[in-house]
Amino acid sequence: KNQVEQSPQSLIILEGKNCTLQCNYTVSPFSNLRWYKQDTGRGPVSLTIMTFSENTKSNGRYTATLDADTKQSSLHITASQLSDSASYICVVSAEGNNRLAFGKGNQVVVIP
Amino acid sequence: NAGVTQTPKFQVLKTGQSMTLQCAQDMNHEYMSWYRQDPGMGLRLIHYSVGAGITDQGEVPNGYNVSRSTTEDFPLRLLSAAPSQTSVYFCASSYSRDATYGYTFGSGTRLTVV
């Protein structure tokens, strides 16, 4: 069973609207959680990182939240733009371990 | 620009052929790794290295070899290509193995084995 589950698998939103992506994980002991954005044909690029003590982190129109008790994270995109069309990947790192657990990604398509 | 450079961007191989995917970084990162990305699946770790001269296997190492003779370079070799190795390959690097500083990914190599 995958240690990182993301939902929804894909979604289509209208330009200017908001959306929220979900990430549930079972990785333990938890070290940090990152959200990456992957444009089509490109490598993933880090958006945010959160450690155990952080519950909110923003990067422009992207806001990530973390609930370490329930092992859930979300990525909220505000006022979506066409350039937000991408796959958003949740990546969780275990403490003392160089291995990362990758989610399968949320595929977001923003339409005019 | 500093970053991770992968070559080639696209490659088509016949079954049984061998080839090397190149990866170079200029950020003096100690940790480097190779992933493959397949439709409907998350990135999967093939091999990784925590420094020059040190390599180890990831979760899907079969059919691939790596070496790390310098800090900058981490090539991935396919010994005898198989159709199951059709995938997009990403090289990533980081300051540390625990990924506290995040990973910098290359732009990928799209490999098709026919």
Side-chain angles (χ1 to χ4, degrees):
Chain A
K1 180 172 167 55
N2 199 17
Q3 292 184 295
V4 179
E5 299 285 350
Q6 294 186 241
S7 62
Q9 184 176 5
S10 62
L11 76 161
I12 300 172
I13 59 174
L14 290 174
E15 186 178 13
K17 297 297 185 181
N18 303 335
C19 72
T20 299
L21 313 175
Q22 300 290 341
C23 173
N24 296 337
Y25 63 92
T26 60
V27 174
S28 182
F30 174 82
S31 175
N32 62 72
L33 183 149
R34 283 183 181 269
W35 284 93
Y36 284 82
K37 179 187 180 189
Q38 185 177 20
D39 293 316
T40 300
R42 307 296 297 273
V45 175
S46 179
L47 290 175
T48 63
I49 177 174
M50 285 181 293
T51 57
F52 186 88
S53 59
E54 298 172 300
N55 54 25
T56 301
K57 186 70 70 75
S58 292
N59 178 358
R61 295 179 296 101
Y62 300 102
T63 299
T65 65
L66 173 66
D67 186 334
D69 291 332
T70 62
K71 298 187 177 180
Q72 296 179 325
S73 176
S74 66
L75 181 68
H76 185 75
I77 305 175
T78 303
S80 61
Q81 299 177 358
L82 298 179
S83 59
D84 293 328
S85 294
S87 178
Y88 293 85
I89 303 172
C90 177
V91 183
V92 184
S93 176
E95 190 172 324
N97 189 328
N98 65 302
R99 306 289 181 92
L100 305 180
F102 289 84
K104 297 180 181 180
N106 305 99
Q107 187 67 46
V108 174
V109 176
V110 181
I111 59 175
Chain B
N1 291 335
V4 177
T5 302
Q6 288 186 239
T7 56
K9 292 188 71 65
F10 302 93
Q11 183 70 50
V12 178
L13 289 178
K14 293 182 178 179
T15 298
Q17 285 185 317
S18 63
M19 78 160 294
T20 299
L21 281 64
Q22 301 292 343
C23 175
Q25 54 89 10
D26 58 2
M27 297 171 285
N28 203 30
H29 284 173
E30 288 295 324
Y31 184 80
M32 297 186 73
S33 52
W34 277 101
Y35 292 87
R36 61 178 290 173
Q37 187 175 42
D38 300 295
M41 303 186 73
L43 286 153
R44 292 183 293 169
L45 181 64
I46 304 172
H47 285 286
Y48 67 94
S49 169
V50 298
I54 306 169
T55 64
D56 206 346
Q57 296 181 348
E59 59 181 300
V60 288
N62 292 340
Y64 308 96
N65 273 358
V66 292
S67 60
R68 184 95 179 270
S69 56
T70 66
T71 299
E72 294 77 21
D73 300 298
F74 190 44
L76 178 72
R77 281 183 288 277
L78 280 70
L79 307 174
S80 178
S84 61
Q85 294 178 304
T86 293
S87 186
V88 181
Y89 292 84
F90 288 99
C91 179
S93 72
S94 178
Y95 283 111
S96 65
R97 53 191 292 176
D98 66 4
T100 301
Y101 299 99
Y103 281 19
T104 300
F105 285 87
S107 57
T109 295
R110 183 173 294 274
L111 175 68
T112 302
V113 182
V114 298

